[in-house]
Amino acid sequence: MNSDASPAYPAPLPNEDADHFIRTAINLGATEAVIIPSSQIMVEDYLAELCNGKPVCPNYGLSPSCPPHVPGPSAFRLWQNKSPWCVVIRMDFPPVGPLTQDHRDLGHLLHEIVSGVEHDAVIRGYTHAKSFAGGSCKHLFCYDFGSCRVLSENGPCRNPDTARPSMSGFGINVARLMASAQWKKPPDSTSMSWLAGLVLL
Ligand code: SF4
């Protein structure tokens, strides 16, 4: 076998679909979006285990979109195998304080972007499309409710169209994802910050 052989790439996406998904992400508020093979997403069990590590994440167990309620890295690898391409999305913004309304608004926007691209993908026939964001939907969407309605009442989600699971609970290595997208960290992290999301197609 030739060790210099190029990596196997899946059949290309139709250009009009690729352009459409990138345009949708940008129109919804993304700073950049790019399509890469899903095989380039690195999934690591130990990253998902950090959610219940020491210290445990404050969002652990608060909603169905975080561990232990998500099926984790093993399920993600199955989805990854069914979805040859993905859209990687990044939002840049000036730093905001944690647990502020600005922080929630930005997290909320990220969920709107990835769920919007997912929605478009399903309409275009990518029926396996699934989107992932960051942060806890309990913190971002239901912060003024005592508890998640799905978990506490076995009722419907209050935000089914936009609330999406966090990449963390699936062990997705976000730093490697940024590298696969060929994005560098903002040069001055004191003046710019970023959030990332993902849509499997
Ligand atoms: S009800 Fe709120 S906390 Fe529960 S899954 Fe939906 S958005 Fe998340």
Side-chain angles (χ1 to χ4, degrees):
M1 180 191 273
N2 178 3
S3 61
D4 294 331
S6 299
Y9 276 71
L13 281 188
N15 278 344
E16 67 266 25
D17 287 355
D19 291 347
H20 179 83
F21 297 141
I22 290 171
R23 206 167 45 245
T24 298
I26 301 289
N27 287 344
L28 288 171
T31 306
E32 288 201 67
V34 68
I35 293 181
I36 64 170
S38 296
S39 58
Q40 292 183 7
I41 305 168
M42 181 175 279
V43 179
E44 303 190 77
D45 291 9
Y46 86 93
L47 288 175
E49 289 161 9
L50 293 178
C51 299
N52 191 25
K54 290 188 175 132
V56 65
C57 173
N59 297 321
Y60 182 79
L62 294 186
S63 78
S65 55
C66 284
H69 306 297
V70 292
S74 55
F76 188 90
R77 291 186 183 105
L78 294 177
W79 299 334
Q80 190 178 14
N81 287 338
K82 284 187 185 168
S83 299
W85 294 94
C86 64
V87 189
V88 188
I89 288 159
R90 196 187 80 235
M91 280 171 56
D92 296 346
F93 51 90
V96 295
L99 305 179
T100 61
Q101 186 60 45
D102 284 348
H103 189 260
R104 273 198 293 268
D105 289 346
L106 287 162
H108 206 139
L109 177 58
L110 178 66
H111 284 245
E112 286 178 357
I113 296 168
V114 298
S115 60
V117 174
E118 176 198 301
H119 182 68
D120 265 13
V122 171
I123 287 174
R124 285 187 165 239
Y126 296 80
T127 52
H128 296 303
K130 288 189 191 327
S131 58
F132 304 83
S136 161
C137 62
K138 172 67 178 68
H139 167 64
L140 297 172
F141 292 83
C142 290
Y143 57 90
D144 51 357
F145 290 94
S147 56
C148 165
R149 187 158 67 184
V150 179
L151 294 183
S152 64
E153 302 171 25
N154 203 20
C157 173
R158 298 183 184 100
N159 301 279
D161 293 337
T162 42
R164 290 296 180 268
S166 170
M167 288 192 279
S168 312
F170 294 91
I172 296 168
N173 186 324
V174 177
R176 290 294 294 265
L177 191 62
M178 296 294 98
S180 294
Q182 306 203 344
W183 292 331
K184 297 192 171 101
K185 279 188 187 169
D188 179 1
S189 58
T190 59
S191 64
M192 286 305 280
S193 194
W194 56 270
L195 287 172
L198 176 68
V199 185
L200 292 177
L201 295 173

